[in-house]
Every structure is written in C-alpha cells, then in structure tokens.
C-alpha cells in the first residue's frame, strides 16, 4: 500500500468502504451533487436488528490499497456505485459494458454494486433490475437515498454471511493463511502442517473475524476475537498482524469510550439523526437487546467492559502496535495512519505532549517517493493535527511547508493561489494578524524574524499571483508593524520594493476582499512619520475673535455655588481634554501643529499631508515635507479653512508616503499628546490690514497684557514737535467692515507727558464705512510730544533788578513800596540736581493704537477682532529752560517772565513767544528771554479739574491745580521754536518749569485796586493831563475776587514830586489841595462785589505830580497778605490853561 489516507480515524475500522465513481463523461457539478446525496446515507439501521452499519464513501480509491483488505477489512472496497449519463438506447450496451469493466477493478473484494443511469427513458429503463437504477434527469431522482439504503442492506447480508462463515470453528477444515501483498513471496515453501504455521493462520483469522464483527456492529464479539488474536499472534511472533490485532483492539475500545468519534467533527460519520450505534447507545441499560435480539443480562455488559481497554491502555497498545509496524519497511503507510489515529484519540484526551511524540514519529516515517500533491496533503494534515493538540506554532510551521510545496520548482504550473491561501492560514500560529490595530497596543508578540520572513513570502506569492495591490498591502503591513525590527539596509530595501509596486498600483485605504471572502484591512502609516503630539493652534493675535461682553457677564451658567466639587472638577477636566477654549473663524486659515519624528535612516518625503476632520465642512490644504534621517522631533504645521460654522473635531491626518495613502486616526495612536481635538468655528468676520506712512520699527513692543502687536512703526521727533501719522485701513477679507473703535494706550514710559500725545478724529474715517472687501480707508493720528523742558543747570548769571536789556526789550524797574526778592527755581527732582546736565539724552515714548472692528455674520453673533499698532517715538531734546524767574512790570496787572533758554540741538534754532521778536540760538547756546505777560486770575479755577474724591490727599489736589495753572500760562505764552535748516518746528512748554513762587508772581491779587483820575485809568506809564485851577475827579474802585468779605479799609493819598535824583518832595501844601479829605474810608466788600469811592484834586501850579497811597494799619489790613494791597502808580501833569488854549 503506497497511498496513505491522512483522514483516517479509529472509528473508520467499523465502516464499510464504498467507492462512488462516474462512467464516461459526467458533468462534475452533477456528479458531486449526486455524490453528496449518496454520502449523506452514512449509517443504516439493519432491518430486524438493532445493529447499525456505518459506510465510508470515497470517489477515488487506489486499487493497490484494496489489496490490503484482508489485513484490515475497512480498507477493502465492498461496494461500488457508478454514475453515468445515457440519453439513447443504442448507447446503453456500451455503458453497461463500462460498468462491468469498472467492477472488475475491485471485483475480488466487492460484495455488491449499483449503476445509476441518468437521462435514459423508454423500454430499457422500464425493465426491473436490482443492480441498475434509471432516472430521467439529475433533478428527478427522489429515490436515490432509498436505493442506497437497499444497497447497504445487501452489503450487510454478504458481510454477515462471511462473518458467520469465518467465525464458525470448523475443526478438520484447514484454515487459510491471510497475507498482505508483500508477504506472499515469503511464505512460498513453508511447512503448512507445522504447529507454528497453524497458530499463525488461526491468529490472523481471529483478527480478521474481529474486523468483520466490528463492521457488522458486534462490538463485544470483536473485542473477544481481538484479544484471542493478540494471544495467538504474540505466541508466534507474527509482529505485523499482531500490530493489526492491537490496533483493532484499540479501535473497538475507542468506539466504546468515544461514541461521538475522534475525527474532529462530532457526528460527522453519523446519519442526520445523529444516533449512536445500538450497542453503544444502550450499553448502560441492563435490559438492552444484543445483536442477536436476545435479552442480555448484566454479565455481558461486565464482560464487555473487561475486554475493553481503558483510555490509558489504548495509547499503550497504539504505541506497541506502531512499534511492530516500524519493523516492516513496506508497512510505512499503516504505521503512519496508526500514528494519525492515535493523535486524534490523544487530542480528545487532551494529552498534547504524548500526541506530539506520535506526530514526531509520523514525520520521520519514510514512504515511497511522494508526489508534490501528496506532500502538500501530508504537511497539511500534520498542521491540522498539531493545531488540534494546541501546538499552534508547530502547526503553522508545517502549513508553511505545505504552502512552499505548492510552489515547488518541480511543479510545471505552481499553485501560487493555494500557496498564498495556506500562508494566510499560518498567520495565527506565528501570532501574526493582518490588522495593524493588533500591533498598536502593548508589547510585540511572537518572533519578529519569523514574522518578517512570512510577510516577505506573502508579498512574493502575491506578486506571482499577479496582484500588485496585495503586494502593496503586505509590504505596507511589514513596514508599519515590523519597523522596529528592521535593520537600516532592510528598511531601504523594503521601501524601494514598495515604491516599485506603488508605481503600478498605489496603496489605498480600501479593504481588499480575497476570493474566499477574507478582507484585508487598510494599513495606515502611523510610524512614517511618527507623530508625538497634536496641538490645535489659536489664530494669530490680530485675527482672534472676541465676544462682546453682555450686561450679565459671560459663562454665568458654568458657575457653581461650591468652592470645589470633585464631580465638577472631573467633568471640567474631560471638557478641557476634548474642547478648546478658543475659536476658529469661518473662512480663515486655521493651523494644527504636529511634532513628528522620522525613524528611517534616510530622508523621508511625505506628500499630500493634511487634516482629517468631522463636524464642519473643512477644506484641508495639503502640505509636502521632507524630514531628514532620524530627524528627532520636528514641527509640522497643517492648515485648512473651515467653510461652515459649528463644532469641528480633528480626528487625525492623512499622508502619502512611498506611494501609499494613509488615513491616520488619533484614536489609534495612544501615545500621542494633544491639547484637545474639538474647537468651535464662529461665523465669518472681516480682516483688517493696516499700513502707515512711517517706517517699520525694529523695536517690538511687549505690552503687559500679553497681546501681540501686529505692526510696529517708529518716528524721531524733537521735544515739542507734532507730526501726522496717516494709517491706511484695508479690508482684505471677504466680509464688509461695519464697525470700528480706536483706543490708545501709552506703555513702558516713565516720562511725564504734557497735553495729548495722540489725538484723532474718527468721524472722518467712519464716513467711509461700511468698508467693502478690497477697499481702503484713511485714518489720521496726530503725534504730539511735549515732555519736560526743564533743566537744572544755571548757565547764565543772575539778573539784577536794575534795567538790563534782555533780547532787546528795555526793562524799567519802577518803584514799589513792597518789593520781594527773586527766589531761584527749585529742581523738580532733587535727586538729579547734582548731576551734570546731559542735553543730548534721547527719550523714548511707546504707545499702542488698538483698532476694534467687526462686520458680517460674526458681528451679528456679537464677535469682533482687535488689531494693534505699536508706535515707537524717539524724542530728542530741542530746547531747555534752565532757569525761570519774574520781574515786576510797570503795571500791577502785568509782570516780566524771565526764561533762560538753552539750544540742545546741533542746529541753529529760533525761539519766539506771542508778541515777541524771534530769539536766535546757535547750537549749544543759552540766552535769556523776557516775556511781558498779563497776570492770571487763578482764583476763578475750580477746586479741581475733576471730582475731588479721586485724590487721596490735599497734596495730589494741589499738584493737579498747579498743572492746570501751568497749562493756562503756557497757552498764553505760545512759545515756539524753529530749526530753519531742517524745516522743523514745535512748541516749548513751561508747564514743568514753573514753581510755586513764580506762580504767585504771575497771579493777580484777589483785591483789584483801580484808580481813575479825571475818568482815566492810571497804570503803567500813563500820564493824566489836567489844567491848573480845575478840580480833577479822583475815584478809588475796589473789586473783591477772594472767597471772603474784606474791609473796612482806610487809605491816605499824599502827593509828591520826584526830582529824578532820589529826592522826593512831599511839601506841596501850596501846590495841591484836596477837595475834601485826602483819606478814603472803604466799607466791607463781599466776594465778587466792588465798591467805588470818590474825591477831587485841585492843582495850583504846573508840574509833574505823583500820588503816594498808604493804607492805615488796622486789624483788617494786617490779616491780609501785603501783596493784596498793590495799587497802581498815579502820574498827573498839571499844565497852564493858556497853553491848553493855544493847543
């Protein structure tokens, strides 16, 4: 016997072998449809008996195996069923002849045979025959199963007769010697009358009868015969047949212990009812019927159990039998099949290690030269058996060998599809899956080197199958899952192969369905490159949307009355992980930053890399990048534009690497860090771009609020200079710009500013709104720098109080009864008074212009944007006032303000004041200028320019009032400077240089005294002309600008003459006389009220006369400051009447 049956199992020993074959040309589909119906009748209950016959059908059986039928009767073909087509009566004789020829092939062993003819109708078909069945067609054959049952009953009749014939002990008859084919030549010339020979014949016959009993459903009798055969054959050392008797004993015991079978599929050898044999099913019932139909007592059951082997003894007997088979070279097939049967029994007993020993023995059994198909079958069965005992890797090993045999070089047409299919079946044994998700978590399972070898073989088989898509999929899987185990050279080789395949068939994210229905999932390249973190970026500062604050405030609903709640904290933590606290804007480019790493030893080119999103229509703008070899963490920014509003979730990214398109989802990347994946997209807003007339600044402003400045400009100005900044506002978005608010803020400066640093008129700009996309509006800002002009250096000598010409103005020093000494100006900052003045020091002013704008759908939803312009101003000093003082003027309502002016520029400079001539100052030159000014009525100012409650103490209030006074004085002086060579000009402010004493000198006294002579106001150098002999009216008017009532007062007027040599003549009783008293009494005067007192003078002689006015010292006058009693001088010129007539 040369062809092993790897599907054999122990229960096959009780089956009858029936061969079903076609005659002539029968359609394969039709044949197997009938064969399937025939093979369904696998067990038949014997009529008038409780025995069951089991049938084993084969559509192909080698005739040489049939020669071993005497050795083991289940190998003998006892039935033949042939199927043929015959559509005409003339073909019938030839068809029937072929049937007889077919029977002759198995003629020596056949019990009975049948011929099923399809298509023949008529007279021949109507003739009743037992061995032939006629059917009109393959669809009209309802009685096939019934015919098969009748056929099996006929086989049973023959089988039973043979059993009875062989089992009967005919003493006197010579028992024939049963032989296997290779023994016949060995027994030629033996002594047939020897006792040894007779025992051999008896032993072999007993074993043969045991086989017949087992086939006939008599399990108890078969056990008895097998035991007798073992004793007889062991005594004559007939090892081959002794092994067969032991194997028969094992098979009968297996059938008893495991009625469900050992073939792997329970009931696979049973009929549809799934009933067991009558004996096996009823062996536990004492009153069960035996095969002879007689009630058996319990002694029969006890005897059967005694003859039956235990599960452990079964394996021992199998080992013994196989050892006997191993003694015979020609019994290799028998030995192999016995090993397979033993393994199936051990698999049920869950004795894997012993089963592996039997399988290992089966591997090394030498058979004849096997064909490639037989090798494939052998290795496949070995793989299946190893799988059954739980040796998955060993199973995969033999299945892989079977796959390699499918494509052996000796095969003219290699079966690459079968090879590929078998290779796929080996994957679980090597802990390999074709789903990349199984490799994304935990440690690597299995031997990576073996897995890579297997994947390479899958790629090669796919290529030989002519399926490049499969090649790409398996190579992608190899590169993705085995990247950590590939050497640098292997990485290069695999990527080169992959690129060559993708040039013909690019890799996609589609499932690949194989012909057997298996689906290969896509393989995204999540490691090419490796992504470590994903961060959604906020919009640039100038484009970030802000929500307009409502009256109730924002996020009221999220507030909790509890200070801390673990439930709230937990939910907020999840919220933070999922949703981000900033917004994106519809129609604006949004960014996501990925930190990626290239693990390859060469430059990695990633094409078409973009974002995968859900929730909002999103236009991804793909990027291409090139990562250096083993680059380390490398930032990559992916961008896109949301087209609609709502919640958008970034699920992952897509790439194209080596021609393979990948969709990499963040859920499949457990090691990726992210700040959240969901962000809100708000409606579209306009985009404002600003450009200015000034150059960009190298200085970047850093405001304390942390906001970024989109544009920085710089300008250089002299102190006091004013310049216009023209800003162009361009709407570069797609929505109209409808609202605009402008605010300014000075930052990072310790300098004190006077006046408005930045000023503008927004109405002119708003008149151009709404600003359509692409349109430009202009906005003008006035930059005016007025810092402190004071300097602590006394560059000029003090001026004495005599007449000195300063800037060409003659100053007289008229007589005053009360003359206060001039006091030096105190420095504003005492700590800097000792320093040497640095007149070239450049000071810096920085400010931020903030443009708050909105429009379009975003404005309707209450959103706006901020755009900031940084302004960097370098202020160079122009002029300094190094000293300031005052001199009284001839008028009580005026005084002279003396300013020491220093030109700190490198250019010639002119400085002027209102109603004054220009004063020319060369570079670095200092001169004094005198400005005659009217005194100021500061009492009319309010207590404070703002609400007094804002000031913490009286000192702050006083400083604020002093600033207001300085501003008033500066506006009246109108001091300006010009640099003709540069064509630049500006203001010079005295606000920061006026001290308290100077302010007092510049202030009008609260009590204003006016003296009128002959109706003319006397003051300064005014001379009143009068005639000698005429009485001259004299009026004294007092106006009270203080806050309290004043008076009463008494003042006396004494006339005198000034001889201009220091001598005053008061003895003028003969020249002047008063009409009435020369003493004026003034009653109390209320605030803001005035009082007028009248008198008269009579001049008797001509000449220039003056009036000396003195107050009487009383309580009222002593309580008030002396400066309140400053009266104007009175100069009267008396002339002759005749002279006046002549004139």
């Amino acid at each position: 016997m040369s062809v092993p049956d790897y599907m054999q199992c122990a229960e096959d020993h009780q089956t009858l072998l029936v061969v079903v074959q076609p005659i002539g040309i029968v359609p394969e589909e039709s044949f197997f449809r009938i064969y399937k119906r025939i093979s369904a009748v696998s067990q038949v209950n014997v009529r008038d008996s409780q025995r069951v016959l089991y049938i084993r059908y084969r559509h192909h059986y080698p005739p040489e195996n049939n020669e071993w039928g005497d050795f083991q009767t289940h190998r003998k073909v006892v039935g033949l069923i042939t199927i043929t087509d015959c559509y005409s009566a003339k073909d019938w004789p030839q068809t029937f002849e072929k049937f007889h020829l077919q029977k002759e092939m198995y003629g020596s062993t056949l019990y009975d045979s049948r011929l099923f003819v399809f298509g023949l109708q008529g007279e021949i078909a109507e003739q009743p025959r037992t061995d032939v069945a006629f059917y009109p067609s393959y669809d009209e054959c309802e009685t096939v199963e019934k015919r098969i049952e009748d056929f099996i009953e006929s086989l049973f009749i023959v089988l039973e007769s043979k059993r009875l014939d062989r089992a009967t002990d005919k003493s006197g008859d010579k028992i024939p010697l049963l032989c296997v084919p290779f023994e016949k030549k060995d027994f030629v010339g033996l002594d047939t009358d020897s006792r040894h020979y007779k025992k051999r014949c008896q032993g072999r016959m007993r074993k043969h009868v045991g086989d017949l009993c087992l086939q006939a459903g008599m399990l108890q009798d078969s056990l008895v015969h097998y035991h007798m055969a073992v004793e007889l054959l062991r005594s004559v050392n007939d090892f081959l047949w002794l092994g067969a008797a032991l194997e028969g004993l094992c098979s009968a015991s297996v059938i008893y212990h495991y009625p469900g079978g050992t073939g792997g599929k329970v009931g696979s050898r049973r009929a549809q009812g799934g009933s067991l044999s009558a004996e096996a099913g009823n062996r536990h019932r004492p009153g069960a019927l035996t095969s002879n139909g007689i009630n058996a007592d319990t002694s029969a059951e006890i005897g059967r159990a005694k003859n039956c082997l235990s599960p452990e003894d079964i394996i021992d007997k199998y080992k013994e039998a196989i050892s006997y088979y191993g003694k015979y070279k020609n019994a290799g097939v028998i030995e192999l099949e016995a090993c397979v049967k033993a393994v199936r029994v051990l698999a049920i007993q869950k004795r894997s290690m012993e089963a592996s020993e039997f399988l290992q023995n089966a591997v090394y059994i030498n058979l004849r030269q096997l064909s490639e198909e037989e090798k494939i079958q052998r290795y496949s069965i070995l793989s299946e058996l190893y799988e059954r005992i739980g040796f998955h890797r060993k199973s995969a090993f033999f299945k892989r060998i079977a796959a390699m045999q499918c494509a052996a070089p000796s095969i003219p047409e290699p079966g690459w599809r079968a090879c590929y299919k078998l290779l796929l079946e080996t994957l679980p044994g090597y802990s390999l899956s074709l789903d990349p998700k199984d490799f994304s978590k935990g440690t690597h399972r299995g031997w990576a080197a073996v897995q890579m070898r297997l994947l390479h073989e899958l790629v090669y088989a796919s290529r030989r199958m002519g399926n490049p898509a499969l090649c790409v999929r398996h190579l992608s899987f190899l590169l993705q899952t085995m990247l950590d185990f590939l050497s640098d050279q292997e990485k290069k080789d695999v990527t080169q192969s992959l690129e060559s395949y993708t040039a013909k068939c690019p890799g996609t994210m589609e499932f690949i369905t194989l012909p057997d229905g298996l689906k290969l999932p896509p393989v995204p390249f999540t490691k090419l490159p490796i992504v470590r973190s994903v961060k959604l970026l906020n919009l640039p500062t100038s484009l970030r949307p802000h929500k307009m604050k409502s009256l109730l405030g924002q996020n009221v609903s999220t507030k909790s009355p509890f200070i801390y709640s673990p439930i709230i904290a937990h939910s907020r933590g999840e919220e933070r992980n999922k949703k981000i606290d900033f917004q994106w804007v519809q129609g604006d480019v949004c960014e996501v930053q990925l930190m990626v790493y290239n693990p390859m030893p060469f430059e990695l080119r990633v094409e078409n890399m973009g974002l995968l999103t859900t929730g909002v229509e999103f236009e991804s703008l793909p990027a291409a990048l090139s990562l250096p070899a083993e680059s380390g963490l490398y930032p990559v920014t992916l961008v896109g534009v949301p087209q609609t509003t709502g919640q958008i979730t970034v699920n992952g990214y897509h790439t194209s690497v080596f021609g393979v398109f990948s969709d990499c989802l963040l859920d499949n990347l457990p090691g990726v860090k992210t700040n959240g994946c969901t962000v809100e997209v708000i409606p579209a807003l306009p985009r404002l771009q600003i450009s200015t007339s000034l150059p960009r600044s190298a200085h970047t402003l850093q405001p304390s609020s942390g906001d970024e400045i989109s544009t920085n400009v710089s300008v250089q100005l002299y102190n006091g200079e004013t310049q216009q900044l023209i800003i162009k506002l361009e709407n570069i978005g797609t929505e109209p710009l409808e609202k605009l608010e402008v605010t300014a803020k000075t930052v990072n400066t310790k300098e004190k500013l006077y006046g408005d640093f930045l000023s503008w008129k927004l109405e002119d700009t708003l008149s151009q709104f709404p600003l359509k996309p692409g349109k430009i509006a202009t906005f003008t800002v006035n930059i005016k720098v007025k810092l402190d002009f004071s300097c602590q250096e006394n560059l000029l000598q003090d001026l004495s109080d005599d007449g000195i010409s300063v800037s060409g103005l003659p100053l007289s020093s008229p007589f005053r009864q009360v003359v206060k000494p001039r006091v030096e100006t105190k420095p504003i900052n005492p700590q800097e008074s000792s320093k040497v003045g640095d007149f070239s020091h450049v000071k810096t002013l920085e400010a931020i212009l903030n443009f708050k704008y909105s429009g379009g759908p975003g404005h309707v939803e209450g959103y706006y944007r901020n755009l900031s312009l940084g302004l960097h101003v370098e202020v160079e000093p122009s002029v300094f006032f190094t000293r300031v003082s005052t001199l009284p003027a001839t008028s009580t309502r005026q005084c002279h303000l003396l300013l020491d002016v220093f030109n700190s520029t490198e250019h010639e400079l002119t400085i002027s004041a209102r109603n004054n001539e220009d004063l020319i100052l060369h570079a670095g030159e200092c001169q004094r200028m005198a400005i005659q000014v009217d005194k100021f009525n500061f009492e009319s100012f309010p207590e404070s320019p703002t609400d007094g409650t804002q000031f913490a103490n009286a000192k702050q209030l006083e400083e604020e009032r002093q600033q207001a006074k300085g501003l008033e004085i500066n506006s009246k002086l109108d001091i300006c400077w010009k640099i003709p060579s540069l064509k630049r000009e500006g203001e010079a402010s005295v606000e920061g240089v006026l001290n308290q004493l100077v302010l007092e000198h510049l202030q009008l006294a609260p009590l204003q005294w006016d003296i009128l002579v002959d109706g003319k106001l006397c003051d300064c150098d005014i001379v009143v002309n009068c005639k000698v002999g005429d009485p001259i009216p004299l009026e004294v008017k007092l106006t009270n600008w203080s806050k309290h009532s004043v008076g009463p007062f008494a003042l006396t007027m004494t006339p005198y003459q000034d001889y201009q040599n220091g001598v005053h003549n008061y003895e003028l009783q003969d020249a002047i006389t008063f009409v009435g008293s020369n003493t004026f009494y003034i009653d109390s005067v209320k605030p803001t009220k005035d009082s007028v007192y009248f008198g008269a003078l009579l001049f008797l002689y001509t000449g220039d006369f003056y009036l000396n006015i003195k107050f009487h010292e009383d309580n009222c006058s002593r309580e008030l400051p002396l400066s309140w009693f400053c009266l104007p001088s009175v100069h009267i010129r008396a002339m002759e009447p005749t002279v006046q007539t002549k004139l």
Side-chain angles (χ1 to χ4, degrees), residues 1059-1107:
Y1059 296 142
Q1060 300 296 324
N1061 58 359
V1063 177
H1064 293 173
N1065 181 16
Y1066 288 92
E1067 301 297 329
L1068 299 178
Q1069 294 85 356
D1070 299 333
I1072 303 174
T1073 183
F1074 281 89
V1075 180
S1077 176
N1078 65 337
T1079 299
F1080 292 78
Y1081 294 94
I1082 303 174
D1083 296 330
S1084 177
V1085 182
K1086 294 182 179 181
T1088 68
K1089 301 297 182 178
D1090 55 34
S1091 180
V1092 181
Y1093 302 92
F1094 298 94
L1097 282 173
L1098 180 63
F1099 291 90
L1100 304 177
Y1101 296 98
T1102 60
D1104 289 332
F1105 301 92
Y1106 298 89
L1107 291 181

Side-chain angles (χ1 to χ4, degrees), residues 560-566 568-569 572:
S560 170
F562 301 102
I563 296 175
Y564 172 77
S565 169
I568 297 176
R572 287 177 182 172

Side-chain angles (χ1 to χ4, degrees), residues 270-572:
R270 305 292 182 254
Q272 294 179 357
S275 62
L276 306 177
S277 66
E279 279 191 285
N282 298 320
R283 65 175 180 267
H284 298 297
R285 292 185 298 160
L289 295 177
T290 65
S291 58
N292 295 323
I294 302 172
N295 286 337
D297 62 7
T298 55
S299 61
E301 191 71 22
I302 295 172
R304 180 185 307 174
K306 184 182 295 185
N307 292 326
C308 184
L309 300 175
S310 66
E312 292 77 13
D313 291 339
I314 291 174
I315 303 306
D316 293 338
K317 298 303 181 184
Y318 263 125
K319 288 182 180 179
E320 186 180 353
I322 291 170
S323 67
Y324 293 148
Y325 291 150
K327 297 177 182 293
Y328 299 90
K329 182 179 180 181
N330 294 323
V333 174
I334 304 297
E335 180 185 3
L336 178 61
E337 290 181 356
C339 289
V340 171
K341 297 169 191 174
V343 169
R344 295 186 190 276
V345 175
L346 286 167
I348 293 179
Q349 297 179 357
K350 301 185 186 308
R351 295 161 67 180
S352 300
M353 293 305 298
E354 294 179 68
S356 67
E357 295 177 3
F358 280 96
L359 278 177
Q360 194 68 19
N361 182 64
V363 171
Y364 292 107
I365 294 176
N366 290 322
L367 301 178
R368 61 172 178 79
Q369 188 68 29
L370 299 177
S371 66
E372 298 299 334
E373 184 177 350
E374 290 172 333
K375 290 180 181 178
I376 294 170
Q377 184 185 14
R378 180 180 185 182
Y379 293 130
S380 297
I381 294 299
L382 286 173
S383 171
E384 177 189 332
L385 293 174
Y386 271 115
E387 183 71 26
R388 288 194 63 185
I389 64 175
F391 283 38
H392 303 294
R393 192 164 59 237
K394 199 82 168 180
S395 170
F397 172 79
F398 283 104
K399 188 154 288 186
R400 178 181 167 274
I401 295 178
M404 293 299 101
Q405 290 294 334
C406 292
S410 57
I411 300 179
E413 296 182 1
W416 288 107
R417 295 189 180 278
C419 172
Y420 180 80
K421 184 176 182 299
L422 288 173
L423 286 176
L424 286 181
E425 294 175 2
T426 66
L427 297 180
Y430 290 114
S431 301
L432 198 57
S433 163
L434 292 180
D435 191 348
K437 294 180 181 178
D438 297 337
F439 289 82
S440 61
K441 299 178 181 179
T443 57
H444 189 89
R445 294 183 57 212
W447 292 348
V450 177
Q451 292 171 342
M452 288 190 289
R453 175 69 179 271
L454 188 59
L455 289 172
H456 276 296
E457 290 170 351
L458 281 173
V459 172
Y460 185 75
S462 303
R463 183 174 70 85
R464 295 301 300 267
M465 287 165 56
N467 194 334
L470 274 181
C471 298
V472 171
R473 182 60 50 88
H474 291 310
L475 267 180
S476 302
F477 184 86
L478 170 63
L479 199 57
Q480 168 69 17
T481 59
M482 304 294 168
L483 186 65
D484 298 337
F485 304 99
L486 293 173
S487 65
D488 290 351
Q489 185 59 42
E490 287 173 334
K491 291 177 182 176
K492 294 180 182 179
D493 296 341
V494 170
T495 53
Q496 288 176 0
S497 301
L498 184 59
E499 286 180 323
S500 65
Y501 288 129
T502 53
K504 304 173 184 177
C505 180
T508 65
M509 288 298 293
E510 302 293 332
F511 278 83
I512 296 179
T513 304
L514 300 178
D516 57 355
L518 179 65
K519 291 185 176 182
L520 299 184
V523 182
F525 277 158
T526 58
K527 293 185 179 180
L528 296 174
I530 298 174
V531 176
R532 294 298 186 196
S533 67
V534 176
K535 182 179 181 182
L536 276 65
L537 300 182
N538 200 350
L539 293 174
T541 307
S542 59
L543 297 180
R544 292 175 188 173
H546 302 275
K547 184 74 173 177
M548 297 180 184
K549 293 182 180 180
S550 63
L551 295 177
L552 297 177
Q554 294 182 341
N555 300 327
V556 176
S557 61
T558 62
K559 294 182 179 179
S560 170
F562 301 102
I563 296 175
Y564 172 77
S565 169
I567 300 176
I568 297 176
H570 179 70
S571 64
R572 287 177 182 172

Side-chain angles (χ1 to χ4, degrees), residues 95-399:
T95 301
F96 195 69
E97 181 64 25
K98 290 181 181 179
F99 172 57
H100 282 288
L101 292 176
Q102 196 76 12
K103 285 198 299 181
E104 291 178 359
M105 187 179 299
Y106 307 103
S108 60
T109 60
L110 286 179
Y111 293 172
D112 200 357
S113 60
R114 290 289 185 271
L115 172 64
F116 288 175
V117 181
F118 292 89
L120 186 61
Q121 297 180 357
E123 183 180 350
I124 298 176
E126 294 175 356
Q127 296 178 359
R129 301 178 65 102
T130 57
D131 59 343
V132 181
F134 295 95
Y135 296 102
S137 66
Y138 289 101
D139 297 325
E140 301 177 16
C141 52
E142 294 82 4
T143 61
V144 168
E145 289 81 359
K146 183 65 174 63
R147 292 283 188 133
I148 296 300
E149 290 179 2
D150 295 341
F151 172 64
I152 292 173
E153 287 187 0
S154 69
L155 295 180
F156 172 73
I157 294 172
V158 178
L159 172 65
E160 187 67 11
S161 65
K162 287 183 177 291
R163 182 188 68 81
L164 292 174
D165 182 55
R166 300 290 174 90
T168 304
D169 184 10
K170 298 177 181 179
S171 57
D173 289 350
K174 191 175 183 179
I175 300 174
L177 178 66
L178 300 176
C179 301
V180 295
F182 69 87
E183 286 182 322
K184 292 180 180 179
K185 62 179 183 297
D186 296 334
F187 292 138
V188 176
L190 287 180
D191 183 6
T192 58
D193 294 330
S194 65
R195 187 180 176 192
H196 187 277
Y197 181 82
K198 289 181 179 180
K199 275 193 173 184
R200 176 177 290 185
C201 292
Q202 290 175 0
R204 293 188 178 188
M205 184 57 69
R206 282 289 178 185
K207 187 266 172 194
H208 180 67
V209 173
D211 289 347
L212 294 176
C213 290
L214 190 60
Q215 286 183 311
M218 302 175 66
L219 182 61
Q220 178 185 358
D221 292 353
S222 68
L223 287 170
V224 173
H225 286 296
Y226 284 138
H227 275 290
M228 293 174 64
V230 167
E231 295 300 326
L232 289 170
L233 293 172
R234 194 187 299 276
S235 64
V236 295
N237 293 332
D238 192 355
F239 296 118
L240 180 63
W241 285 79
L242 175 59
L246 290 171
E247 187 182 354
L249 186 60
C250 292
S251 298
S253 300
V254 169
I255 292 170
Y256 174 78
H257 285 293
Y258 309 108
T262 63
K265 296 180 181 179
V266 178
S268 61
R269 299 179 182 273
R270 305 292 182 254
Q272 294 179 357
S275 62
L276 306 177
S277 66
E279 279 191 285
N282 298 320
R283 65 175 180 267
H284 298 297
R285 292 185 298 160
L289 295 177
T290 65
S291 58
N292 295 323
I294 302 172
N295 286 337
D297 62 7
T298 55
S299 61
E301 191 71 22
I302 295 172
R304 180 185 307 174
K306 184 182 295 185
N307 292 326
C308 184
L309 300 175
S310 66
E312 292 77 13
D313 291 339
I314 291 174
I315 303 306
D316 293 338
K317 298 303 181 184
Y318 263 125
K319 288 182 180 179
E320 186 180 353
I322 291 170
S323 67
Y324 293 148
Y325 291 150
K327 297 177 182 293
Y328 299 90
K329 182 179 180 181
N330 294 323
V333 174
I334 304 297
E335 180 185 3
L336 178 61
E337 290 181 356
C339 289
V340 171
K341 297 169 191 174
V343 169
R344 295 186 190 276
V345 175
L346 286 167
I348 293 179
Q349 297 179 357
K350 301 185 186 308
R351 295 161 67 180
S352 300
M353 293 305 298
E354 294 179 68
S356 67
E357 295 177 3
F358 280 96
L359 278 177
Q360 194 68 19
N361 182 64
V363 171
Y364 292 107
I365 294 176
N366 290 322
L367 301 178
R368 61 172 178 79
Q369 188 68 29
L370 299 177
S371 66
E372 298 299 334
E373 184 177 350
E374 290 172 333
K375 290 180 181 178
I376 294 170
Q377 184 185 14
R378 180 180 185 182
Y379 293 130
S380 297
I381 294 299
L382 286 173
S383 171
E384 177 189 332
L385 293 174
Y386 271 115
E387 183 71 26
R388 288 194 63 185
I389 64 175
F391 283 38
H392 303 294
R393 192 164 59 237
K394 199 82 168 180
S395 170
F397 172 79
F398 283 104
K399 188 154 288 186

